[in-house]
Coordinates of all heavy atoms in Angstrom, one line a residue:
M1147 N 0.8 -1.2 0.0 CA 0.0 0.0 0.0 C 0.9 1.3 0.0 O 1.8 1.4 0.8 CB -0.9 0.0 1.3 CG -1.9 1.1 1.3 SD -3.0 0.9 2.8 CE -3.6 2.5 2.8
S1148 N 0.6 2.1 -0.9 CA 1.5 3.3 -1.0 C 1.0 4.4 0.0 O -0.1 4.5 0.4 CB 1.3 3.9 -2.4 OG 0.0 4.4 -2.6
V1149 N 2.0 5.1 0.5 CA 1.7 6.1 1.5 C 1.8 7.5 0.8 O 2.8 7.9 0.3 CB 2.8 6.1 2.6 CG1 2.5 7.2 3.7 CG2 2.8 4.7 3.3
T1150 N 0.6 8.1 0.8 CA 0.5 9.4 0.2 C 1.0 10.5 1.1 O 1.2 10.3 2.3 CB -0.9 9.8 -0.2 OG1 -1.7 9.9 1.0 CG2 -1.5 8.7 -1.1
V1151 N 1.3 11.6 0.6 CA 1.7 12.8 1.4 C 0.6 13.1 2.4 O 0.9 13.4 3.6 CB 2.1 14.0 0.5 CG1 2.4 15.2 1.4 CG2 3.3 13.7 -0.4
F1152 N -0.6 13.1 1.9 CA -1.7 13.4 2.7 C -1.8 12.5 3.9 O -2.0 12.9 5.1 CB -3.0 13.5 2.0 CG -4.2 13.8 2.9 CD1 -4.4 15.1 3.4 CD2 -5.0 12.8 3.3 CE1 -5.4 15.3 4.3 CE2 -6.1 13.1 4.2 CZ -6.3 14.3 4.6
S1153 N -1.7 11.2 3.6 CA -1.9 10.2 4.7 C -0.7 10.4 5.8 O -0.9 10.1 6.9 CB -2.0 8.8 4.2 OG -0.7 8.3 3.7
Q1154 N 0.4 10.7 5.3 CA 1.5 11.0 6.2 C 1.3 12.2 7.1 O 1.5 12.2 8.3 CB 2.8 11.2 5.4 CG 3.6 9.9 5.2 CD 4.9 10.1 4.6 OE1 5.1 11.1 3.8 NE2 5.9 9.3 4.9
L1155 N 0.7 13.3 6.4 CA 0.4 14.4 7.2 C -0.7 14.1 8.2 O -0.6 14.5 9.4 CB -0.2 15.5 6.3 CG 0.9 16.3 5.5 CD1 0.2 17.3 4.5 CD2 1.8 17.1 6.4
D1156 N -1.7 13.4 7.8 CA -2.8 13.0 8.7 C -2.3 12.2 9.9 O -2.7 12.4 11.0 CB -3.8 12.2 7.9 CG -5.1 12.0 8.7 OD1 -5.7 12.9 9.1 OD2 -5.4 10.8 8.9
K1157 N -1.4 11.2 9.5 CA -0.8 10.4 10.6 C 0.0 11.2 11.6 O -0.2 11.0 12.8 CB 0.1 9.3 9.9 CG 0.6 8.3 10.9 CD 1.2 7.1 10.1 CE 1.8 6.1 11.0 NZ 3.2 6.4 11.4
S1158 N 0.8 12.1 11.1 CA 1.6 12.9 12.0 C 0.7 13.8 12.9 O 1.0 14.1 14.0 CB 2.7 13.6 11.3 OG 2.2 14.6 10.4
L1159 N -0.3 14.3 12.3 CA -1.2 15.2 13.0 C -1.9 14.4 14.2 O -1.9 14.8 15.3 CB -2.3 15.8 12.1 CG -3.4 16.5 12.9 CD1 -2.9 17.7 13.6 CD2 -4.5 16.9 11.9
H1160 N -2.3 13.2 13.8 CA -3.0 12.4 14.9 C -2.0 11.9 15.9 O -2.3 11.9 17.1 CB -3.6 11.1 14.2 CG -5.0 11.4 13.6 ND1 -6.1 11.6 14.4 CD2 -5.3 11.7 12.3 CE1 -7.1 11.9 13.5 NE2 -6.7 12.0 12.3
E1161 N -0.8 11.7 15.5 CA 0.3 11.3 16.5 C 0.5 12.5 17.4 O 0.7 12.3 18.7 CB 1.5 10.9 15.8 CG 1.5 9.5 15.3 CD 2.7 9.1 14.4 OE1 3.5 10.0 14.2 OE2 2.7 7.9 14.0
H1162 N 0.5 13.7 16.9 CA 0.8 14.9 17.6 C -0.4 15.1 18.7 O -0.2 15.4 19.8 CB 0.9 16.1 16.7 CG 1.1 17.4 17.4 ND1 2.2 17.7 18.1 CD2 0.2 18.5 17.6 CE1 2.1 18.9 18.7 NE2 0.9 19.4 18.4
L1163 N -1.6 14.9 18.2 CA -2.8 15.1 19.1 C -2.7 14.0 20.2 O -3.1 14.3 21.3 CB -4.1 15.0 18.3 CG -4.3 16.1 17.3 CD1 -5.6 15.9 16.5 CD2 -4.4 17.5 18.0
D1164 N -2.4 12.8 19.8 CA -2.3 11.7 20.8 C -1.2 12.1 21.9 O -1.5 11.8 23.1 CB -1.9 10.4 20.2 CG -3.0 9.8 19.4 OD1 -4.2 10.2 19.6 OD2 -2.8 8.9 18.5
T1165 N -0.1 12.6 21.4 CA 0.9 13.1 22.4 C 0.4 14.1 23.3 O 0.6 14.1 24.5 CB 2.1 13.6 21.6 OG1 2.6 12.6 20.7 CG2 3.3 14.0 22.6
L1166 N -0.4 15.1 22.8 CA -0.9 16.2 23.6 C -1.8 15.6 24.7 O -1.8 15.9 25.9 CB -1.7 17.1 22.7 CG -1.0 18.0 21.7 CD1 -1.9 19.0 21.1 CD2 0.2 18.7 22.4
V1167 N -2.7 14.6 24.3 CA -3.6 14.0 25.2 C -2.9 13.3 26.3 O -3.2 13.3 27.5 CB -4.7 13.1 24.5 CG1 -5.5 12.3 25.5 CG2 -5.6 13.9 23.6
R1168 N -1.9 12.5 25.8 CA -1.1 11.7 26.8 C -0.4 12.6 27.8 O -0.4 12.4 29.0 CB -0.1 10.8 26.0 CG 0.5 9.7 26.9 CD 1.3 8.7 26.1 NE 2.5 9.4 25.5 CZ 2.6 9.5 24.2 NH1 1.7 9.0 23.3 NH2 3.7 10.1 23.7
L1169 N 0.3 13.7 27.3 CA 1.0 14.6 28.2 C 0.1 15.3 29.1 O 0.4 15.5 30.3 CB 1.8 15.6 27.4 CG 3.1 15.1 26.7 CD1 3.7 16.2 25.9 CD2 4.1 14.7 27.8
A1170 N -1.1 15.7 28.6 CA -2.1 16.4 29.5 C -2.5 15.4 30.6 O -2.7 15.8 31.8 CB -3.3 16.9 28.7
A1171 N -2.7 14.2 30.3 CA -3.2 13.2 31.3 C -2.1 12.7 32.2 O -2.4 12.5 33.4 CB -3.8 12.0 30.5
T1172 N -0.9 12.6 31.8 CA 0.1 11.9 32.6 C 1.2 12.8 33.0 O 2.0 12.4 33.9 CB 0.7 10.7 31.9 OG1 1.3 11.1 30.7 CG2 -0.4 9.7 31.5
G1173 N 1.4 13.9 32.3 CA 2.5 14.8 32.6 C 2.4 15.5 34.0 O 1.2 15.5 34.6
D1174 N 3.5 16.0 34.5 CA 3.4 16.7 35.8 C 2.7 18.0 35.6 O 2.4 18.4 34.5 CB 4.7 16.8 36.5 CG 5.8 17.5 35.6 OD1 5.4 18.2 34.7 OD2 7.0 17.2 35.8
D1175 N 2.5 18.8 36.7 CA 1.8 20.1 36.6 C 2.6 21.1 35.7 O 1.9 21.8 35.0 CB 1.7 20.7 38.0 CG 0.6 19.9 38.8 OD1 0.0 19.0 38.3 OD2 0.5 20.2 40.0
E1176 N 3.9 21.0 35.8 CA 4.7 22.0 35.0 C 4.5 21.7 33.5 O 4.2 22.6 32.6 CB 6.1 21.9 35.3 CG 7.0 23.0 34.8 CD 8.5 22.8 35.1 OE1 8.7 22.2 36.2 OE2 9.3 23.4 34.4
T1177 N 4.5 20.4 33.2 CA 4.3 20.0 31.8 C 2.9 20.3 31.3 O 2.7 20.9 30.2 CB 4.5 18.4 31.7 OG1 5.8 18.1 32.1 CG2 4.3 18.0 30.2
A1178 N 1.9 20.1 32.1 CA 0.5 20.4 31.8 C 0.3 21.9 31.6 O -0.4 22.3 30.6 CB -0.5 19.9 32.9
T1179 N 0.9 22.7 32.4 CA 0.8 24.2 32.3 C 1.5 24.6 31.0 O 0.9 25.4 30.2 CB 1.5 24.9 33.5 OG1 0.9 24.4 34.7 CG2 1.3 26.4 33.4
E1180 N 2.7 24.1 30.8 CA 3.4 24.4 29.5 C 2.6 24.0 28.3 O 2.5 24.8 27.3 CB 4.7 23.7 29.5 CG 5.6 23.9 28.3 CD 6.2 25.3 28.4 OE1 6.3 25.9 29.5 OE2 6.6 25.8 27.3
L1181 N 2.0 22.9 28.4 CA 1.2 22.4 27.3 C 0.0 23.2 27.0 O -0.3 23.6 25.8 CB 0.7 20.9 27.6 CG 0.2 20.0 26.5 CD1 1.4 19.6 25.7 CD2 -0.4 18.8 27.1
A1182 N -0.7 23.6 28.1 CA -1.9 24.5 27.9 C -1.5 25.8 27.3 O -2.2 26.3 26.4 CB -2.5 24.7 29.2
R1183 N -0.4 26.4 27.7 CA 0.0 27.7 27.2 C 0.6 27.6 25.7 O 0.3 28.5 24.9 CB 1.1 28.3 28.1 CG 0.5 28.7 29.4 CD 1.5 29.6 30.2 NE 0.9 30.1 31.4 CZ 1.5 30.1 32.6 NH1 2.7 29.6 32.7 NH2 0.8 30.6 33.6
S1184 N 1.3 26.6 25.4 CA 1.8 26.5 24.1 C 0.9 25.8 23.0 O 0.9 26.3 21.9 CB 3.2 25.8 24.1 OG 3.0 24.4 24.5
E1185 N 0.2 24.8 23.5 CA -0.5 24.0 22.5 C -2.0 24.3 22.4 O -2.6 24.2 21.4 CB -0.3 22.5 22.7 CG 1.1 22.0 22.6 CD 1.6 22.1 21.1 OE1 0.7 22.0 20.2 OE2 2.8 22.2 20.9
L1186 N -2.6 24.6 23.6 CA -4.0 24.8 23.6 C -4.5 25.9 22.6 O -5.5 25.7 21.9 CB -4.5 25.2 25.0 CG -6.0 25.1 25.3 CD1 -6.6 23.8 24.9 CD2 -6.3 25.5 26.7
P1187 N -3.8 27.1 22.5 CA -4.2 28.1 21.5 C -4.2 27.5 20.1 O -5.0 27.9 19.3 CB -3.2 29.2 21.7 CG -2.7 29.0 23.1 CD -2.7 27.5 23.4
R1188 N -3.3 26.7 19.8 CA -3.2 26.1 18.4 C -4.3 25.1 18.2 O -4.9 25.1 17.1 CB -1.8 25.4 18.2 CG -0.7 26.4 18.3 CD 0.6 25.7 18.5 NE 0.9 24.8 17.3 CZ 2.0 24.0 17.2 NH1 2.8 23.9 18.2 NH2 2.2 23.4 16.1
V1189 N -4.7 24.3 19.2 CA -5.8 23.4 19.1 C -7.1 24.2 18.9 O -7.9 23.9 18.1 CB -5.8 22.4 20.2 CG1 -7.1 21.6 20.2 CG2 -4.6 21.6 20.3
V1190 N -7.2 25.3 19.7 CA -8.4 26.1 19.7 C -8.5 26.8 18.3 O -9.6 26.8 17.7 CB -8.5 27.1 20.8 CG1 -9.5 28.2 20.6 CG2 -8.6 26.5 22.1
A1191 N -7.4 27.3 17.8 CA -7.4 27.9 16.5 C -7.8 26.9 15.4 O -8.5 27.3 14.5 CB -6.0 28.4 16.2
A1192 N -7.3 25.7 15.5 CA -7.6 24.6 14.5 C -9.1 24.4 14.6 O -9.8 24.3 13.5 CB -6.8 23.4 14.8
L1193 N -9.7 24.3 15.8 CA -11.1 24.0 15.9 C -11.9 25.2 15.4 O -12.9 25.0 14.7 CB -11.4 23.7 17.4 CG -12.9 23.4 17.7 CD1 -13.3 22.1 17.0 CD2 -13.1 23.2 19.2
R1194 N -11.5 26.4 15.7 CA -12.2 27.6 15.2 C -12.2 27.6 13.7 O -13.2 28.0 13.1 CB -11.6 28.9 15.8 CG -12.0 29.1 17.2 CD -11.8 30.6 17.5 NE -12.3 30.9 18.9 CZ -11.6 31.4 19.8 NH1 -10.4 31.8 19.6 NH2 -12.2 31.7 21.0
A1195 N -11.1 27.3 13.1 CA -10.9 27.3 11.6 C -11.9 26.4 11.0 O -12.6 26.7 10.1 CB -9.5 27.0 11.2
L1196 N -12.1 25.2 11.6 CA -13.0 24.2 11.2 C -14.5 24.7 11.3 O -15.3 24.6 10.4 CB -12.8 22.9 11.9 CG -13.6 21.7 11.5 CD1 -12.8 20.4 11.7 CD2 -14.9 21.5 12.2
L1197 N -14.8 25.2 12.5 CA -16.1 25.7 12.8 C -16.5 26.9 11.9 O -17.6 27.0 11.4 CB -16.2 26.1 14.2 CG -16.3 25.0 15.2 CD1 -16.3 25.5 16.7 CD2 -17.5 24.0 15.0
D1198 N -15.5 27.8 11.6 CA -15.7 28.9 10.8 C -16.2 28.5 9.4 O -17.1 29.0 8.8 CB -14.5 29.8 10.6 CG -14.3 30.7 11.8 OD1 -15.2 30.8 12.7 OD2 -13.3 31.4 11.9
E1199 N -15.5 27.4 8.9 CA -15.8 26.9 7.6 C -17.1 26.2 7.5 O -17.7 26.2 6.4 CB -14.6 26.0 7.1 CG -14.5 25.8 5.7 CD -13.2 25.2 5.3 OE1 -12.2 25.6 5.9 OE2 -13.2 24.3 4.4
H1200 N -17.6 25.7 8.6 CA -18.8 24.9 8.6 C -20.0 25.6 9.4 O -20.9 24.9 9.7 CB -18.5 23.5 9.1 CG -17.6 22.8 8.2 ND1 -18.0 22.1 7.1 CD2 -16.3 22.6 8.2 CE1 -17.0 21.5 6.5 NE2 -15.9 21.8 7.2
T1201 N -19.8 26.8 9.8 CA -20.9 27.5 10.6 C -22.1 27.6 9.7 O -22.0 28.2 8.6 CB -20.4 28.9 11.1 OG1 -19.3 28.7 12.0 CG2 -21.5 29.6 11.8
P1202 N -23.3 27.2 10.2 CA -24.5 27.3 9.4 C -24.8 28.8 9.0 O -24.6 29.7 9.9 CB -25.6 26.7 10.3 CG -24.9 26.0 11.4 CD -23.5 26.6 11.5
D1203 N -25.3 29.0 7.8 CA -25.8 30.3 7.4 C -27.1 30.6 8.0 O -27.7 29.9 8.8 CB -25.7 30.5 5.9 CG -26.7 29.6 5.2 OD1 -27.6 29.0 5.9 OD2 -26.6 29.5 4.0
E1204 N -27.8 31.7 7.6 CA -29.1 32.1 8.2 C -30.2 31.1 7.9 O -31.2 31.1 8.6 CB -29.5 33.5 7.7 CG -29.8 33.6 6.2 CD -28.5 34.0 5.4 OE1 -27.4 33.7 5.9 OE2 -28.7 34.5 4.3
H1205 N -30.0 30.2 6.9 CA -30.9 29.1 6.6 C -30.6 27.8 7.3 O -31.2 26.8 7.1 CB -31.0 28.9 5.1 CG -31.4 30.1 4.3 ND1 -32.5 30.8 4.5 CD2 -30.6 30.9 3.5 CE1 -32.5 31.9 3.7 NE2 -31.4 32.0 3.1
G1206 N -29.5 27.9 8.1 CA -29.1 26.7 8.8 C -28.2 25.7 7.9 O -28.0 24.6 8.3
R1207 N -27.8 26.2 6.8 CA -27.0 25.4 5.9 C -25.5 25.7 6.0 O -25.1 26.9 6.1 CB -27.5 25.6 4.4 CG -28.8 25.0 4.2 CD -29.2 25.0 2.8 NE -30.5 24.4 2.6 CZ -31.0 24.3 1.4 NH1 -30.4 24.7 0.3 NH2 -32.2 23.7 1.3
C1208 N -24.7 24.7 5.8 CA -23.3 24.8 5.8 C -22.8 25.4 4.5 O -23.1 24.8 3.4 CB -22.6 23.5 6.1 SG -20.8 23.6 6.0
P1209 N -22.2 26.5 4.4 CA -21.7 27.1 3.2 C -20.6 26.3 2.5 O -20.4 26.4 1.3 CB -21.2 28.5 3.6 CG -20.8 28.4 5.0 CD -21.8 27.3 5.6
T1210 N -19.9 25.5 3.2 CA -18.9 24.6 2.6 C -19.5 23.3 2.1 O -19.2 22.9 1.0 CB -17.8 24.3 3.7 OG1 -17.3 25.5 4.1 CG2 -16.7 23.5 3.1
C1211 N -20.3 22.7 2.9 CA -20.8 21.3 2.5 C -21.9 21.4 1.5 O -22.2 20.4 0.8 CB -21.2 20.6 3.7 SG -19.8 20.2 4.9
R1212 N -22.6 22.5 1.5 CA -23.8 22.5 0.6 C -23.5 22.5 -0.9 O -24.3 22.3 -1.7 CB -24.7 23.7 0.9 CG -24.2 25.0 0.4 CD -25.1 26.1 0.7 NE -24.5 27.4 0.4 CZ -25.1 28.6 0.7 NH1 -26.2 28.6 1.4 NH2 -24.4 29.7 0.4
T1213 N -22.2 22.8 -1.2 CA -21.8 22.8 -2.6 C -21.6 21.4 -3.1 O -21.5 21.1 -4.3 CB -20.5 23.6 -2.8 OG1 -19.5 23.0 -2.0 CG2 -20.7 25.0 -2.5
R1214 N -21.5 20.4 -2.2 CA -21.3 19.1 -2.6 C -22.7 18.4 -3.1 O -23.7 18.9 -2.6 CB -20.7 18.2 -1.5 CG -19.3 18.6 -1.3 CD -18.7 18.0 -0.1 NE -17.5 18.7 0.4 CZ -17.0 18.6 1.6 NH1 -17.5 17.8 2.5 NH2 -15.9 19.3 1.9
R1215 N -22.6 17.5 -3.9 CA -23.7 17.0 -4.6 C -24.8 16.4 -3.7 O -26.0 16.8 -4.0 CB -23.2 15.8 -5.5 CG -24.2 15.5 -6.6 CD -23.6 14.8 -7.8 NE -24.6 14.0 -8.5 CZ -24.8 12.7 -8.3 NH1 -24.0 12.0 -7.5 NH2 -25.7 12.1 -9.0
L1216 N -24.5 15.6 -2.7 CA -25.6 15.0 -2.0 C -25.9 15.8 -0.7 O -26.8 15.4 0.1 CB -25.1 13.6 -1.5 CG -24.9 12.6 -2.6 CD1 -24.3 11.3 -2.1 CD2 -26.2 12.3 -3.4
S1217 N -25.3 17.0 -0.6 CA -25.5 17.6 0.7 C -26.9 18.2 0.9 O -27.3 18.5 2.0 CB -24.5 18.8 0.9 OG -24.7 19.8 -0.1
R1218 N -27.6 18.4 -0.2 CA -29.0 19.0 -0.1 C -29.9 18.1 0.7 O -30.8 18.5 1.3 CB -29.6 19.2 -1.5 CG -29.3 20.6 -2.1 CD -29.7 20.7 -3.5 NE -28.6 20.3 -4.4 CZ -28.8 20.1 -5.7 NH1 -30.0 20.2 -6.2 NH2 -27.8 19.7 -6.4
R1219 N -29.6 16.8 0.7 CA -30.5 15.9 1.4 C -30.2 15.8 2.9 O -30.9 15.4 3.7 CB -30.3 14.4 0.9 CG -30.9 14.2 -0.5 CD -31.0 12.8 -0.7 NE -30.9 12.5 -2.1 CZ -30.4 11.3 -2.6 NH1 -30.1 10.4 -1.7 NH2 -30.3 11.1 -3.8
L1220 N -28.9 16.2 3.2 CA -28.5 16.1 4.6 C -29.2 17.2 5.5 O -29.3 18.4 5.0 CB -27.0 16.2 4.7 CG -26.2 15.1 4.1 CD1 -24.7 15.4 4.2 CD2 -26.5 13.8 4.8
P1221 N -29.5 16.9 6.7 CA -30.0 17.9 7.6 C -28.9 18.9 7.9 O -27.8 18.5 8.0 CB -30.5 17.1 8.8 CG -29.7 15.9 8.8 CD -29.4 15.6 7.4
A1222 N -29.3 20.1 8.1 CA -28.3 21.2 8.5 C -28.4 21.4 9.9 O -29.4 21.3 10.5 CB -28.5 22.4 7.7
P1223 N -27.4 21.8 10.6 CA -26.0 22.0 10.2 C -25.3 20.7 9.8 O -25.9 19.7 10.0 CB -25.3 22.7 11.3 CG -26.2 22.7 12.5 CD -27.6 22.2 12.0
C1224 N -24.2 20.9 9.1 CA -23.5 19.7 8.6 C -22.9 18.8 9.7 O -22.7 19.2 10.8 CB -22.4 20.1 7.6 SG -21.0 20.9 8.3
R1225 N -22.5 17.7 9.3 CA -21.9 16.7 10.2 C -20.6 17.2 10.9 O -20.3 16.9 12.0 CB -21.7 15.3 9.6 CG -23.0 14.7 9.2 CD -22.8 13.3 8.6 NE -22.0 12.5 9.6 CZ -22.1 11.2 9.6 NH1 -22.9 10.6 8.7 NH2 -21.4 10.5 10.5
A1226 N -19.8 17.9 10.1 CA -18.5 18.4 10.6 C -18.8 19.3 11.8 O -18.2 19.2 12.8 CB -17.7 19.1 9.5
Y1227 N -19.8 20.2 11.6 CA -20.1 21.2 12.6 C -20.7 20.5 13.8 O -20.3 20.7 15.0 CB -21.1 22.2 12.1 CG -21.4 23.4 13.0 CD1 -20.5 24.5 13.0 CD2 -22.5 23.4 13.8 CE1 -20.8 25.5 13.9 CE2 -22.8 24.5 14.6 CZ -21.9 25.5 14.6 OH -22.2 26.6 15.5
L1228 N -21.7 19.6 13.6 CA -22.3 18.9 14.7 C -21.4 18.0 15.4 O -21.4 17.9 16.7 CB -23.5 18.1 14.1 CG -24.7 18.8 13.7 CD1 -25.8 17.9 13.1 CD2 -25.3 19.6 14.9
G1229 N -20.5 17.4 14.7 CA -19.5 16.5 15.3 C -18.6 17.2 16.2 O -18.3 16.8 17.3
A1230 N -18.1 18.4 15.8 CA -17.2 19.2 16.6 C -18.0 19.7 17.9 O -17.5 19.6 19.0 CB -16.7 20.4 15.8
Q1231 N -19.2 20.2 17.6 CA -20.0 20.7 18.8 C -20.3 19.6 19.8 O -20.1 19.8 21.0 CB -21.3 21.2 18.3 CG -21.2 22.5 17.4 CD -21.1 23.7 18.3 OE1 -20.9 23.6 19.6 NE2 -21.1 24.9 17.7
L1232 N -20.6 18.4 19.3 CA -21.0 17.3 20.1 C -19.8 16.8 20.9 O -19.8 16.6 22.1 CB -21.5 16.1 19.3 CG -22.1 14.9 20.0 CD1 -23.3 15.3 20.9 CD2 -22.5 13.8 19.1
A1233 N -18.6 16.7 20.2 CA -17.4 16.2 20.9 C -17.0 17.2 22.0 O -16.7 16.8 23.1 CB -16.3 16.1 19.9
M1234 N -17.1 18.5 21.8 CA -16.8 19.5 22.8 C -17.8 19.5 23.9 O -17.4 19.5 25.1 CB -16.8 20.9 22.2 CG -15.6 21.2 21.3 SD -14.0 21.1 22.1 CE -14.1 22.5 23.2
T1235 N -19.1 19.3 23.6 CA -20.1 19.4 24.7 C -20.0 18.1 25.5 O -20.0 18.2 26.8 CB -21.5 19.5 24.0 OG1 -21.5 20.6 23.1 CG2 -22.6 19.7 25.1
V1236 N -20.0 17.0 24.9 CA -20.0 15.7 25.6 C -18.7 15.6 26.4 O -18.7 15.2 27.6 CB -20.1 14.5 24.7 CG1 -20.0 13.2 25.4 CG2 -21.5 14.5 24.0
A1237 N -17.6 16.0 25.8 CA -16.3 15.9 26.5 C -16.3 16.9 27.7 O -15.7 16.5 28.8 CB -15.1 16.3 25.6
A1238 N -16.9 18.0 27.6 CA -17.0 19.0 28.7 C -17.9 18.4 29.9 O -17.6 18.7 31.0 CB -17.5 20.3 28.2
E1239 N -18.9 17.7 29.5 CA -19.9 17.3 30.5 C -19.3 16.0 31.2 O -19.7 15.8 32.4 CB -21.2 16.9 29.9 CG -22.0 18.2 29.5 CD -23.2 17.8 28.7 OE1 -23.5 16.7 28.4 OE2 -24.0 18.8 28.4
S1240 N -18.6 15.2 30.6 CA -18.1 14.0 31.2 C -16.6 13.8 31.0 O -16.2 13.0 30.1 CB -18.8 12.8 30.7 OG -18.8 12.8 29.3
P1241 N -15.8 14.6 31.7 CA -14.3 14.5 31.5 C -13.8 13.1 31.9 O -14.3 12.5 32.8 CB -13.8 15.5 32.5 CG -14.9 15.8 33.4 CD -16.1 15.5 32.7
G1242 N -12.9 12.6 31.1 CA -12.3 11.3 31.4 C -13.1 10.1 30.8 O -12.7 9.0 31.0
R1243 N -14.2 10.4 30.1 CA -15.0 9.3 29.6 C -14.9 9.3 28.0 O -15.9 9.4 27.3 CB -16.5 9.4 30.0 CG -16.6 9.5 31.5 CD -18.0 9.5 31.9 NE -18.6 8.2 31.9 CZ -19.9 8.0 32.1 NH1 -20.8 9.0 32.2 NH2 -20.4 6.8 32.2
R1244 N -13.7 9.3 27.6 CA -13.3 9.4 26.2 C -14.0 8.3 25.3 O -14.5 8.6 24.2 CB -11.8 9.3 26.0 CG -11.3 9.8 24.7 CD -9.9 10.0 24.8 NE -9.5 10.9 25.9 CZ -9.6 12.2 25.8 NH1 -10.0 12.8 24.7 NH2 -9.2 12.9 26.8
K1245 N -14.0 7.1 25.9 CA -14.6 6.0 25.1 C -16.1 6.2 24.8 O -16.6 5.9 23.8 CB -14.5 4.7 25.8 CG -13.1 4.1 25.6 CD -12.9 2.8 26.4 CE -11.4 2.4 26.2 NZ -11.1 1.3 27.1
H1246 N -16.8 6.8 25.8 CA -18.2 7.1 25.6 C -18.4 8.2 24.5 O -19.2 8.0 23.7 CB -18.8 7.7 27.0 CG -20.2 8.1 26.9 ND1 -21.2 7.2 26.6 CD2 -20.8 9.3 26.9 CE1 -22.3 7.8 26.6 NE2 -22.1 9.1 26.8
V1247 N -17.5 9.2 24.5 CA -17.5 10.2 23.5 C -17.4 9.6 22.1 O -18.1 9.8 21.2 CB -16.4 11.3 23.7 CG1 -16.4 12.2 22.5 CG2 -16.7 12.0 25.0
R1248 N -16.4 8.7 22.0 CA -16.1 8.0 20.7 C -17.4 7.2 20.2 O -17.7 7.2 19.1 CB -14.9 7.1 20.8 CG -13.6 8.0 20.7 CD -12.5 7.1 20.2 NE -11.3 8.0 20.1 CZ -10.2 7.7 20.7 NH1 -10.0 6.6 21.3 NH2 -9.2 8.5 20.6
S1249 N -18.0 6.5 21.2 CA -19.1 5.7 20.8 C -20.3 6.5 20.4 O -21.1 6.1 19.6 CB -19.5 4.7 21.9 OG -20.1 5.4 23.0
V1250 N -20.5 7.7 20.9 CA -21.5 8.6 20.5 C -21.3 9.2 19.2 O -22.2 9.2 18.3 CB -21.7 9.7 21.6 CG1 -22.7 10.8 21.0 CG2 -22.2 9.2 22.9
V1251 N -20.1 9.6 18.9 CA -19.8 10.2 17.6 C -19.5 9.1 16.6 O -20.1 9.1 15.6 CB -18.5 11.1 17.7 CG1 -18.2 11.7 16.3 CG2 -18.7 12.2 18.7
Ligands
ZN1831 ZN1 -20.0 21.7 6.6

């Protein structure tokens, strides 16, 4: 199986995110503080960029996804927006129950 540039980028991004989660969970207080100051703004920026692109318009439709062929049938807001909102909401309500979050999404 050939490894594309994109799949390598995707893999390294996921590895980076896994590292952040692991350090936040198991690192000492100094590490956790450092992590929050250096990495949290980047993670928030990434999430905001995603949400900006998929924020529903005044009709409740996603301006990014509605241009795709089958998107007219999908309920709005789009899955990307709902998935991000749900992950944030569920994660905030039940910290430490990551498996539950995954099974919901
Ligand atoms: Zn969308």
